[in-house]
Amino acid sequence: MDTVLLSDSETDLLKAAELIKSGEIVGIPTETVYGLGADASNEEAVRKVFEAKGRPADNPLIVHLADFSQAEEFTAAIPALAYRLAERFCPGPLTMVLPKNDKIPMITSGGLDTVGIRVPSHPVMHRIIQLSGRPIAAPSANTSGYPSPTSADHVMRDMDGKIAAVVDGGSSEFGVESTVISIEGDNSVRILRPGCVTREMLAEICSEVVIDHAILHELEAGQKAASPGMKYKHYSPRADIVMVEGKLEDFIGFVGSHNGDGVYSLIFDTDRENYPYRYMTYGKDSSQQAHQLFQRLRELDDAGAKKVYVRAPSPEGVGLAVYNRLIRAAGFEVIRI
Ligand code: TXA
Ligand code: MG
């Protein structure tokens, strides 16, 4: 099929909403990354999303709504804490896992009896949800396993010919996917996937914020994932990614003794002066790193990188999300020097 590139004009957003209503898949901008949007209540449309991404059937899709009040229509129960969190963080990059009702088909929830609910803040995404009048299931719009797309061009590269349209809403504001949480108790949440709503921000609303073990550690054989997405290799470009923790001078020494054809370094902006080897940079603080990471991973592939040594980011605040994406891109290969 021909994949049409749409603008963010009202006429084009109407077209996008019509496509979704008729069971087609549309690449849509959000404030985190681009998503592959489909009517979450239409099993056939959702099946096409799994197919276009090459995504395993047991990995659930997040359902996007225009307003958190609509969550009542698709869930079986909403704890009081969820309303408090919604008041502070919706719309925005937070996904809450809640018990689903039968308006969300099993294919959408990957066979689970819960559903991830998110209210995106991106005006284009918001408008498309409103115009379609449907709950929109949207995984990140990358081919399964590859870095998430942060521009319409990335989506086109992965999905051209596989979906009906892509809406260009510019470059994604945050650059990493939403924070996914489950509600553990009256005053307690668990972070299943870190994002730009940080542990510190959640702690302003609830007394306990647990970081799920799978965020920083590889699951052992037979271990059950709280979030199915954590089971799979993810965010990986074709190049082999290795995270290196240590001081800049030690990093330079390490790369020097491992340099060769197709070897690149991914370093901080502040490291670049006189940096002696082939490199790309990914910002100078956590939010810049989040914003640039996926774009750089794709650029490293375009440049023909075979092996990439990455300066490990600080895992504080938004940095935890950056660290989590990188450690998974690296298949948990971290060298400490
Ligand atoms: O920012 C985002 O969340 C983007 C944009 C498009 O909204 N979407 C996104 O979707 O990242 P996806 O499908 O690429 O990642 C969703 C993650 C997966 O790791 C999945 O396993 C987890 O959320 N997830 C979704 N529903 C879940 C549920 N009911 N229980 C546990 N984990 C869930
Ligand atoms: Mg994804």
Side-chain angles (χ1 to χ4, degrees):
M1 82 170 67
D2 271 346
T3 303
V4 183
L5 186 62
L6 298 172
S7 75
D8 60 0
S9 70
E10 181 74 1
T11 325
D12 275 7
L13 299 191
L14 259 170
K15 281 187 201 157
E18 285 306 320
L19 285 167
I20 286 172
K21 282 205 278 191
S22 66
E24 295 297 334
I25 314 302
V26 180
I28 342 184
T30 86
E31 71 277 21
T32 57
V33 300
Y34 275 67
L36 276 188
D39 177 351
S41 60
N42 178 335
E43 294 188 33
E44 188 51 30
V46 171
R47 197 188 53 71
K48 285 196 246 175
V49 171
F50 280 91
E51 196 177 285
K53 271 186 75 85
R55 180 175 179 118
D58 68 350
N59 197 359
L61 306 186
I62 293 171
V63 173
H64 299 73
L65 303 174
D67 191 280
F68 190 75
S69 62
Q70 295 168 339
E72 287 162 19
E73 212 184 306
F74 304 101
T75 55
I78 303 182
L81 177 55
Y83 286 107
R84 292 202 333 260
L85 290 164
E87 210 164 290
R88 169 80 162 77
F89 300 114
C90 296
L94 180 71
T95 298
M96 288 190 245
V97 173
L98 299 168
K100 76 172 198 71
N101 68 21
D102 55 16
K103 285 207 180 155
I104 300 295
M106 277 295 180
I107 183 169
T108 305
S109 67
L112 299 175
D113 52 15
T114 54
V115 60
I117 297 283
R118 165 157 134 74
V119 181
S121 63
H122 196 295
V124 170
M125 176 65 160
H126 186 259
R127 188 71 184 137
I128 293 172
I129 305 173
Q130 274 186 330
L131 291 171
S132 72
R134 304 289 158 88
I136 296 187
S140 51
N142 51 293
T143 301
S144 200
Y146 205 61
S148 297
T150 54
S151 71
D153 176 58
H154 295 165
V155 182
M156 269 297 185
R157 290 232 219 159
D158 282 19
M159 294 296 152
D160 194 13
K162 296 182 177 170
I163 61 175
V166 178
V167 179
D168 190 347
S171 136
S172 308
E173 180 189 344
F174 292 116
V176 290
E177 306 87 339
S178 63
T179 305
V180 179
I181 59 167
S182 60
I183 307 229
E184 303 273 289
D186 290 349
N187 234 326
S188 161
V189 299
R190 175 181 294 265
I191 301 182
L192 305 177
R193 180 179 70 182
C196 288
V197 171
T198 62
R199 161 193 220 161
E200 294 77 10
M201 289 160 77
L202 290 165
E204 288 168 21
I205 310 289
C206 36
S207 55
E208 191 185 29
V209 182
V210 180
I211 307 274
D212 194 72
H213 187 75
I215 285 173
L216 293 175
H217 304 91
E218 196 163 14
L219 284 172
E220 280 155 39
Q223 212 177 348
K224 196 169 174 294
S227 181
M230 290 297 176
K231 283 192 304 204
Y232 300 104
K233 183 160 166 130
H234 235 116
Y235 314 116
S236 298
R238 287 184 295 278
D240 188 20
I241 303 288
V242 181
M243 242 212 297
V244 184
E245 278 180 357
K247 292 202 289 283
L248 177 62
E249 66 233 52
D250 298 329
F251 182 90
I252 293 174
F254 178 87
V255 174
S257 57
H258 292 77
N259 207 11
D261 217 29
V263 171
Y264 275 77
S265 305
L266 184 59
I267 60 175
F268 308 136
D269 287 4
T270 44
D271 299 339
R272 76 197 314 161
E273 204 177 307
N274 301 323
Y275 190 79
Y277 306 113
R278 207 177 314 133
Y279 70 90
M280 289 192 193
T281 60
Y282 73 121
K284 63 177 189 317
D285 57 35
S286 298
S287 59
Q288 285 190 4
Q289 287 162 8
H291 184 71
Q292 296 178 22
L293 178 65
F294 289 142
Q295 161 103 17
R296 282 306 168 269
L297 293 180
R298 285 172 178 258
E299 284 169 1
L300 284 158
D301 271 355
D302 293 343
K306 299 274 175 293
K307 187 117 192 158
V308 182
Y309 294 110
V310 185
R311 283 268 272 152
S314 151
E316 300 300 316
V318 176
L320 183 65
V322 180
Y323 194 98
N324 163 263
R325 303 315 187 268
L326 271 168
I327 202 173
R328 298 179 63 78
F332 292 91
E333 191 175 354
V334 183
I335 292 168
R336 295 184 173 87
I337 47 174

